[in-house]
Amino acid sequence: EDSSTPPPTTGYIDTLKTYFGHSSFRAMQWKIIHTTLNERRDQCVIMATGYGKSLCYQFPPVYAQGTSVVISPLISLMEDQVLALQVANIEACFLGSAQRNTVEVKQGLYNGKYRVCYMTPEFVQIAPEILDELQKRVGITMVAIDEAHCVSQWGHDFRSSYRTLGSLRKRLPEVPFMALTATATPAIQKDICKSLRLKNPLLSCTSFDRPNLYLAVRQKLDIVQDLTSVMVKGERFTHHFDGPTIIYCPTKKATETVCGRLQQMGVKADYYHAGRDNNSRRKVHTMFVRDEIQCIVATVAFGMGIDKPDVRNVIHYGAPKDIESYYQEIGRGGRDGLPSVCTAFYSSADFATNRFFLRDIHNMDFKEHKAKMISEMEQCLLSTGCRRELILSHFENKPKSSVAGTKKCCDNCRRRITQPNSFQDGTSKVDYTKELQHLLKAISITGERYGMQVPVYFLRGSTNQKLLPRYQKDPDFGCGKYRQEKWWKAFARMVLSQGYLREKPVQSGFGSTLELTGTARKWLSDANYGNVTEFKLQPNQEMLSLEK
Ligand code: ADP
């Protein structure tokens, strides 16, 4: 399809230079813009953060002297974009439900004054007739739906106001629609196209690989110790980050705690979360962009729309919620293309916290889906394989990365190169056949009705009252005493990631039950009949530290 797109003529390049200050289009930008202007076809655009999404909907109306309608969920972001366009001599406006100068803006809109008009989905819902009128009087160059993953319940950032956008497609039959997002698995892509009722959309997708981001994962131990380990030494026993740094924490309280510790350590840091007033948030953001503070400690509320190209470290202090969020958050690092480091610190308790929030979801399909997303993140952090490949395979069918398997890729790849002996196939794997048999039996005997805790009580021979007394009479009761409780839990998570166990969220409340998969059932029944298949596994750091 690429070959069918002719190169841009000088007219296009002139507009690009004059209004946007760029000397050429990025390959995919041009194909998308060309398709909108010349084929008037619907599109679904999945573009890695930093590639240049906004040009795809800002350029066509400037070139065609029409108006683009852009629907986006974040008001502050739209306001920033309007301002930036005005500075570049492109007339732009914003319409939201709480807007006071709507009448005036509408007038300008109907007179063809604006090239780009931003709207909230709520506004579109209330006043869709504005679009009919605009189409009649001026002609809408295109409708862009930004952050389109918000339309999907399966994504990480569902917004119900996005659901109603599907009706627009019918309302404006002549106008090309464009859905844009920076993260979408194949399933979410489908959901986007379907929910927005796109007509035979052209799908464009940049690679998700960000080769300049080095990925590392560590266990969370102690705030100061952990953060010092990713800093560089300064003068007189001080430490500081090597460049602008974002630290993501799971809760508001955690951002304040971590920030306080950093300040005590002499690091110029501030915190950012939805509980702070607009002014403070804006101030923190500005100081970070201007390098007046080195580090921003934030909840996920911080991110969309930050335009700081030289963030050198993105740290998660606490397990990220799911792979989509993780990818989007680390994506804020190294937008200038220079090497940057992403380190996630986690403890197993973090996953319990994330699972705890499932308690409020009542739709079982949805709950299961969310539980799966948490498990995938957990497995990604526990993995001893290439982390980049793991993440890319989540988004693409055939991931190719230019750095996978090199020292620049991730901690696991680096370790494989720098300590080859510990990683040669076979030598690094440990025989856990006996342990697998114990674990599967414990889960099976206790009826596959519990999470990890009760089977582990059984293994450890605990008399905790959660374990029914009748299990104490079982000949296998206490068969795993030689390992600590924590070790069994770490091992169970590895077994889970190997496909022997399945997690099912419980109907009410939070937490989930562990079930044997078909593979495990067959393996265990063979083993019970004396036909044991060897089970080898590369232990993760947590297991290793407990085996010593
Ligand atoms: P996204 O929304 O995809 O993350 P933006 O639209 O904010 O990306 O663009 C990211 C950066 O890339 C911006 O600084 C923008 O000026 C720059 N950019 C976009 N298109 C081009 C281009 N064709 N040539 C050079 N720089 C570009």
Side-chain angles (χ1 to χ4, degrees):
E1 272 179 307
D2 273 324
S3 56
S4 65
T5 312
T9 55
T10 47
Y12 290 104
I13 300 293
D14 286 346
T15 305
L16 184 66
K17 280 183 187 154
T18 312
Y19 288 95
F20 299 93
H22 306 316
S23 52
S24 61
F25 292 100
R26 290 177 175 150
M28 224 171 80
Q29 282 175 333
W30 169 241
K31 185 179 152 204
I32 292 163
I33 290 167
H34 181 266
T35 304
T36 296
L37 286 172
N38 300 295
E39 292 174 31
R40 312 285 297 150
R41 183 174 163 190
D42 284 358
Q43 300 189 66
C44 179
V45 173
I46 295 135
M47 212 173 238
T49 310
Y51 189 91
K53 268 196 307 267
S54 28
L55 194 72
C56 300
Y57 53 76
Q58 290 173 350
F59 183 91
V62 174
Y63 183 82
Q65 294 292 302
T67 304
S68 269
V69 171
V70 182
I71 300 164
S72 171
L74 288 178
I75 294 173
S76 60
L77 211 83
M78 291 191 274
E79 286 172 342
D80 287 352
Q81 290 220 2
V82 168
L83 220 66
L85 287 169
Q86 284 168 349
V87 169
N89 265 326
I90 299 168
E91 291 285 351
C93 63
F94 163 71
L95 282 172
S97 337
Q99 197 79 349
R100 255 176 276 128
N101 60 344
T102 307
V103 178
E104 201 186 317
V105 173
K106 261 204 274 194
Q107 212 50 52
L109 207 53
Y110 295 161
N111 288 333
K113 176 181 172 193
Y114 299 114
R115 299 286 75 82
V116 187
C117 174
Y118 287 90
M119 293 180 191
T120 58
E122 290 82 6
F123 185 84
V124 179
Q125 206 173 334
I126 301 166
E129 67 284 350
I130 290 185
L131 299 183
D132 306 333
E133 202 58 27
L134 180 64
Q135 167 68 350
K136 211 159 64 196
R137 299 203 196 192
V138 186
I140 299 176
T141 310
M142 62 185 289
V143 172
I145 295 157
D146 204 7
E147 311 292 350
H149 59 271
C150 294
V151 80
S152 174
Q153 292 220 43
W154 308 122
H156 64 288
D157 194 15
F158 172 65
R159 286 164 198 250
S160 53
S161 56
Y162 260 65
R163 273 284 166 199
T164 56
L165 296 177
S167 59
L168 285 186
R169 176 62 291 186
K170 254 227 249 39
R171 202 171 184 116
L172 301 163
E174 314 291 320
V175 182
F177 274 53
M178 185 187 291
L180 302 106
T181 176
T183 40
T185 60
I188 295 171
Q189 287 165 27
K190 250 199 222 145
D191 204 14
I192 289 173
C193 296
K194 197 171 141 233
S195 306
L196 296 175
R197 310 206 189 125
L198 301 184
K199 279 185 296 194
N200 176 31
L202 176 70
L203 194 77
S204 303
C205 191
T206 59
S207 163
F208 281 90
D209 194 18
R210 294 282 311 277
N212 60 317
L213 300 183
Y214 174 80
L215 311 176
V217 176
R218 310 249 186 105
Q219 293 249 3
K220 198 163 74 177
L221 300 167
D222 164 87
I223 299 179
V224 173
Q225 205 180 315
D226 292 342
L227 294 178
T228 310
S229 74
V230 288
M231 290 175 164
V232 290
K233 272 214 182 84
E235 284 164 30
R236 277 196 242 169
F237 310 113
T238 60
H239 283 82
H240 58 84
F241 291 109
D242 194 12
T245 297
I246 302 175
I247 302 181
Y248 281 109
C249 297
T251 63
K252 291 178 198 164
K253 192 163 163 255
T255 63
E256 294 176 26
T257 311
V258 170
C259 179
R261 290 300 178 83
L262 285 171
Q263 288 170 342
Q264 282 165 9
M265 291 166 75
V267 177
K268 281 192 185 147
D270 211 331
Y271 65 94
Y272 184 109
H273 59 60
R276 290 195 88 171
D277 61 76
N278 273 340
N279 262 345
S280 319
R281 265 153 60 188
R282 202 171 294 227
K283 202 174 130 219
V284 172
H285 187 170
T286 311
M287 283 173 70
F288 184 59
V289 171
R290 291 185 187 152
D291 292 319
E292 289 162 11
I293 50 173
Q294 195 188 29
C295 175
I296 211 158
V297 191
T299 59
V300 292
F302 180 70
M304 276 208 217
I306 63 157
D307 199 4
K308 183 163 177 60
D310 59 343
V311 174
R312 291 280 77 86
N313 298 289
V314 179
I315 295 166
H316 282 83
Y317 203 71
K321 203 159 59 79
D322 48 60
I323 295 184
E324 271 97 341
S325 315
Y326 174 64
Y327 178 81
Q328 199 153 53
E329 283 145 21
I330 62 173
R332 292 173 189 133
R335 293 238 200 153
D336 54 10
L338 296 174
S340 306
V341 180
C342 309
T343 313
F345 289 92
Y346 78 98
S347 80
S348 14
D350 299 343
F351 301 110
T353 312
N354 289 346
R355 289 198 171 93
F356 178 77
F357 292 111
L358 295 178
R359 142 198 82 145
D360 303 325
I361 304 177
H362 298 295
N363 175 320
M364 270 316 273
D365 280 346
F366 190 46
K367 195 166 182 160
E368 253 176 58
H369 172 74
K370 285 284 176 187
K372 193 169 152 237
M373 285 172 84
I374 295 173
S375 289
E376 280 169 350
M377 188 69 239
E378 185 172 18
Q379 280 157 37
C380 179
L381 294 177
L382 291 171
S383 168
T384 48
C386 174
R387 298 191 197 279
R388 187 175 301 273
E389 274 182 358
L390 207 80
I391 293 168
L392 290 180
S393 66
H394 184 80
F395 296 110
E396 306 172 42
N397 291 328
K398 288 181 229 88
K400 15 177 218 308
S401 161
S402 51
V403 294
T406 70
K407 273 195 211 174
K408 289 181 183 166
C409 180
C410 65
D411 50 356
N412 288 338
C413 285
R414 176 175 288 183
R415 209 172 298 135
R416 207 168 290 124
I417 292 165
T418 54
Q419 305 162 25
N421 287 337
S422 71
F423 264 85
Q424 263 160 22
D425 256 346
T427 54
S428 62
K429 288 197 174 171
V430 177
D431 188 338
Y432 289 114
T433 311
K434 188 175 71 174
E435 285 77 9
L436 180 66
Q437 199 170 357
H438 289 334
L439 177 71
L440 296 183
K441 260 193 193 165
I443 293 170
S444 170
I445 287 167
T446 51
E448 301 179 50
R449 287 176 290 139
Y450 302 101
M452 254 169 225
Q453 190 64 58
V454 170
V456 170
Y457 284 150
F458 179 88
L459 286 164
R460 302 256 319 135
S462 157
T463 51
N464 186 294
Q465 55 182 4
K466 278 191 187 146
L467 184 73
L468 302 180
R470 66 177 144 106
Y471 294 130
Q472 294 180 17
K473 295 192 199 94
D474 195 283
D476 284 310
F477 178 68
C479 63
K481 245 193 182 122
Y482 60 101
R483 291 273 188 230
Q484 292 172 45
E485 182 171 323
K486 265 186 160 175
W487 186 92
W488 280 112
K489 289 182 179 174
F491 178 65
R493 278 191 293 275
M494 292 299 281
V495 171
L496 185 76
S497 72
Q498 301 284 314
Y500 286 79
L501 296 173
R502 187 172 34 234
E503 271 183 309
K504 273 196 80 169
V506 293
Q507 190 96 30
S508 55
F510 64 96
S512 46
T513 57
L514 283 178
E515 287 177 355
L516 271 55
T517 60
T519 316
R521 249 175 252 292
K522 172 144 193 338
W523 189 93
L524 185 61
S525 109
D526 285 352
N528 286 343
Y529 285 102
N531 189 6
V532 186
T533 315
E534 192 174 62
F535 177 75
K536 280 188 166 181
L537 188 78
Q538 194 178 319
N540 63 26
Q541 285 175 34
E542 195 176 357
M543 286 167 67
L544 282 176
S545 67
L546 294 165
E547 283 175 24
K548 270 172 200 152

